[in-house]
PDB file of all heavy atoms in Angstrom:
ATOM      1  N   SER A 721       4.989   3.553  11.188  1.00  0.00           N
ATOM      2  CA  SER A 721       5.983   3.402  10.130  1.00  0.00           C
ATOM      3  C   SER A 721       6.437   1.951  10.022  1.00  0.00           C
ATOM      4  O   SER A 721       6.592   1.421   8.910  1.00  0.00           O
ATOM      5  CB  SER A 721       7.188   4.305  10.410  1.00  0.00           C
ATOM      6  OG  SER A 721       8.226   4.077   9.479  1.00  0.00           O
ATOM      7  N   SER A 722       6.627   1.287  11.164  1.00  0.00           N
ATOM      8  CA  SER A 722       7.036  -0.121  11.146  1.00  0.00           C
ATOM      9  C   SER A 722       5.962  -0.995  10.520  1.00  0.00           C
ATOM     10  O   SER A 722       6.272  -1.941   9.785  1.00  0.00           O
ATOM     11  CB  SER A 722       7.341  -0.595  12.569  1.00  0.00           C
ATOM     12  OG  SER A 722       8.505   0.018  13.051  1.00  0.00           O
ATOM     13  N   MET A 723       4.697  -0.690  10.799  1.00  0.00           N
ATOM     14  CA  MET A 723       3.606  -1.457  10.215  1.00  0.00           C
ATOM     15  C   MET A 723       3.628  -1.334   8.691  1.00  0.00           C
ATOM     16  O   MET A 723       3.423  -2.315   7.968  1.00  0.00           O
ATOM     17  CB  MET A 723       2.268  -0.977  10.781  1.00  0.00           C
ATOM     18  CG  MET A 723       2.077  -1.315  12.253  1.00  0.00           C
ATOM     19  SD  MET A 723       0.634  -0.510  13.007  1.00  0.00           S
ATOM     20  CE  MET A 723      -0.699  -1.345  12.136  1.00  0.00           C
ATOM     21  N   TYR A 724       3.878  -0.139   8.209  1.00  0.00           N
ATOM     22  CA  TYR A 724       3.968   0.071   6.766  1.00  0.00           C
ATOM     23  C   TYR A 724       5.129  -0.730   6.171  1.00  0.00           C
ATOM     24  O   TYR A 724       4.983  -1.410   5.149  1.00  0.00           O
ATOM     25  CB  TYR A 724       4.141   1.566   6.481  1.00  0.00           C
ATOM     26  CG  TYR A 724       4.512   1.872   5.053  1.00  0.00           C
ATOM     27  CD1 TYR A 724       3.588   1.730   4.028  1.00  0.00           C
ATOM     28  CD2 TYR A 724       5.798   2.296   4.731  1.00  0.00           C
ATOM     29  CE1 TYR A 724       3.930   2.003   2.718  1.00  0.00           C
ATOM     30  CE2 TYR A 724       6.150   2.570   3.424  1.00  0.00           C
ATOM     31  CZ  TYR A 724       5.216   2.419   2.419  1.00  0.00           C
ATOM     32  OH  TYR A 724       5.560   2.686   1.125  1.00  0.00           O
ATOM     33  N   LYS A 725       6.288  -0.676   6.823  1.00  0.00           N
ATOM     34  CA  LYS A 725       7.467  -1.380   6.313  1.00  0.00           C
ATOM     35  C   LYS A 725       7.273  -2.900   6.364  1.00  0.00           C
ATOM     36  O   LYS A 725       7.751  -3.629   5.486  1.00  0.00           O
ATOM     37  CB  LYS A 725       8.708  -0.957   7.095  1.00  0.00           C
ATOM     38  CG  LYS A 725       9.105   0.495   6.860  1.00  0.00           C
ATOM     39  CD  LYS A 725      10.341   0.865   7.657  1.00  0.00           C
ATOM     40  CE  LYS A 725      10.664   2.350   7.493  1.00  0.00           C
ATOM     41  NZ  LYS A 725      10.969   2.718   6.096  1.00  0.00           N
ATOM     42  N   LEU A 726       6.576  -3.377   7.397  1.00  0.00           N
ATOM     43  CA  LEU A 726       6.301  -4.810   7.481  1.00  0.00           C
ATOM     44  C   LEU A 726       5.437  -5.273   6.319  1.00  0.00           C
ATOM     45  O   LEU A 726       5.698  -6.327   5.717  1.00  0.00           O
ATOM     46  CB  LEU A 726       5.602  -5.137   8.811  1.00  0.00           C
ATOM     47  CG  LEU A 726       6.488  -5.148  10.059  1.00  0.00           C
ATOM     48  CD1 LEU A 726       5.638  -5.201  11.320  1.00  0.00           C
ATOM     49  CD2 LEU A 726       7.460  -6.330  10.025  1.00  0.00           C
ATOM     50  N   GLU A 727       4.430  -4.503   5.974  1.00  0.00           N
ATOM     51  CA  GLU A 727       3.583  -4.891   4.844  1.00  0.00           C
ATOM     52  C   GLU A 727       4.360  -4.812   3.528  1.00  0.00           C
ATOM     53  O   GLU A 727       4.163  -5.640   2.633  1.00  0.00           O
ATOM     54  CB  GLU A 727       2.334  -4.022   4.801  1.00  0.00           C
ATOM     55  CG  GLU A 727       1.396  -4.295   5.972  1.00  0.00           C
ATOM     56  CD  GLU A 727      -0.051  -4.017   5.673  1.00  0.00           C
ATOM     57  OE1 GLU A 727      -0.328  -3.224   4.753  1.00  0.00           O
ATOM     58  OE2 GLU A 727      -0.914  -4.602   6.353  1.00  0.00           O
ATOM     59  N   GLU A 728       5.252  -3.848   3.411  1.00  0.00           N
ATOM     60  CA  GLU A 728       6.126  -3.786   2.229  1.00  0.00           C
ATOM     61  C   GLU A 728       6.990  -5.042   2.135  1.00  0.00           C
ATOM     62  O   GLU A 728       7.308  -5.496   1.030  1.00  0.00           O
ATOM     63  CB  GLU A 728       7.037  -2.550   2.309  1.00  0.00           C
ATOM     64  CG  GLU A 728       6.458  -1.317   1.664  1.00  0.00           C
ATOM     65  CD  GLU A 728       7.544  -0.308   1.347  1.00  0.00           C
ATOM     66  OE1 GLU A 728       8.523  -0.225   2.122  1.00  0.00           O
ATOM     67  OE2 GLU A 728       7.429   0.399   0.324  1.00  0.00           O
ATOM     68  N   ALA A 729       7.366  -5.596   3.297  1.00  0.00           N
ATOM     69  CA  ALA A 729       8.218  -6.791   3.333  1.00  0.00           C
ATOM     70  C   ALA A 729       7.412  -8.079   3.212  1.00  0.00           C
ATOM     71  O   ALA A 729       7.978  -9.173   3.332  1.00  0.00           O
ATOM     72  CB  ALA A 729       9.041  -6.803   4.624  1.00  0.00           C
ATOM     73  N   GLY A 730       6.123  -7.983   3.000  1.00  0.00           N
ATOM     74  CA  GLY A 730       5.300  -9.165   2.768  1.00  0.00           C
ATOM     75  C   GLY A 730       4.571  -9.711   3.976  1.00  0.00           C
ATOM     76  O   GLY A 730       3.892 -10.734   3.877  1.00  0.00           O
ATOM     77  N   PHE A 731       4.708  -9.051   5.136  1.00  0.00           N
ATOM     78  CA  PHE A 731       3.954  -9.469   6.316  1.00  0.00           C
ATOM     79  C   PHE A 731       2.540  -8.895   6.242  1.00  0.00           C
ATOM     80  O   PHE A 731       2.333  -7.787   5.743  1.00  0.00           O
ATOM     81  CB  PHE A 731       4.635  -8.979   7.602  1.00  0.00           C
ATOM     82  CG  PHE A 731       5.942  -9.651   7.900  1.00  0.00           C
ATOM     83  CD1 PHE A 731       7.132  -9.149   7.393  1.00  0.00           C
ATOM     84  CD2 PHE A 731       5.991 -10.794   8.685  1.00  0.00           C
ATOM     85  CE1 PHE A 731       8.345  -9.756   7.667  1.00  0.00           C
ATOM     86  CE2 PHE A 731       7.202 -11.412   8.966  1.00  0.00           C
ATOM     87  CZ  PHE A 731       8.380 -10.896   8.455  1.00  0.00           C
ATOM     88  N   GLN A 732       1.573  -9.638   6.748  1.00  0.00           N
ATOM     89  CA  GLN A 732       0.206  -9.134   6.885  1.00  0.00           C
ATOM     90  C   GLN A 732       0.018  -8.691   8.330  1.00  0.00           C
ATOM     91  O   GLN A 732       0.093  -9.505   9.238  1.00  0.00           O
ATOM     92  CB  GLN A 732      -0.811 -10.223   6.563  1.00  0.00           C
ATOM     93  CG  GLN A 732      -0.768 -10.754   5.154  1.00  0.00           C
ATOM     94  CD  GLN A 732      -1.777 -11.882   4.976  1.00  0.00           C
ATOM     95  OE1 GLN A 732      -2.849 -11.889   5.572  1.00  0.00           O
ATOM     96  NE2 GLN A 732      -1.416 -12.858   4.161  1.00  0.00           N
ATOM     97  N   ASN A 733      -0.208  -7.417   8.541  1.00  0.00           N
ATOM     98  CA  ASN A 733      -0.423  -6.931   9.899  1.00  0.00           C
ATOM     99  C   ASN A 733      -1.841  -7.258  10.348  1.00  0.00           C
ATOM    100  O   ASN A 733      -2.815  -6.943   9.666  1.00  0.00           O
ATOM    101  CB  ASN A 733      -0.190  -5.418   9.963  1.00  0.00           C
ATOM    102  CG  ASN A 733       1.262  -5.056   9.750  1.00  0.00           C
ATOM    103  OD1 ASN A 733       2.151  -5.782  10.185  1.00  0.00           O
ATOM    104  ND2 ASN A 733       1.518  -3.947   9.080  1.00  0.00           N
ATOM    105  N   LEU A 734      -1.935  -7.891  11.517  1.00  0.00           N
ATOM    106  CA  LEU A 734      -3.220  -8.321  12.050  1.00  0.00           C
ATOM    107  C   LEU A 734      -3.789  -7.345  13.063  1.00  0.00           C
ATOM    108  O   LEU A 734      -5.006  -7.277  13.258  1.00  0.00           O
ATOM    109  CB  LEU A 734      -3.088  -9.698  12.713  1.00  0.00           C
ATOM    110  CG  LEU A 734      -2.563 -10.835  11.837  1.00  0.00           C
ATOM    111  CD1 LEU A 734      -2.366 -12.089  12.673  1.00  0.00           C
ATOM    112  CD2 LEU A 734      -3.525 -11.103  10.690  1.00  0.00           C
ATOM    113  N   GLY A 735      -2.927  -6.608  13.736  1.00  0.00           N
ATOM    114  CA  GLY A 735      -3.417  -5.693  14.750  1.00  0.00           C
ATOM    115  C   GLY A 735      -2.288  -5.059  15.517  1.00  0.00           C
ATOM    116  O   GLY A 735      -1.108  -5.318  15.279  1.00  0.00           O
TER     117      GLY A 735
END
Side-chain angles (χ1 to χ4, degrees):
S721 174
S722 291
M723 291 170 67
Y724 169 72
K725 293 180 184 298
L726 284 168
E727 292 208 337
E728 269 200 326
F731 291 89
Q732 298 177 34
N733 292 324
L734 302 175

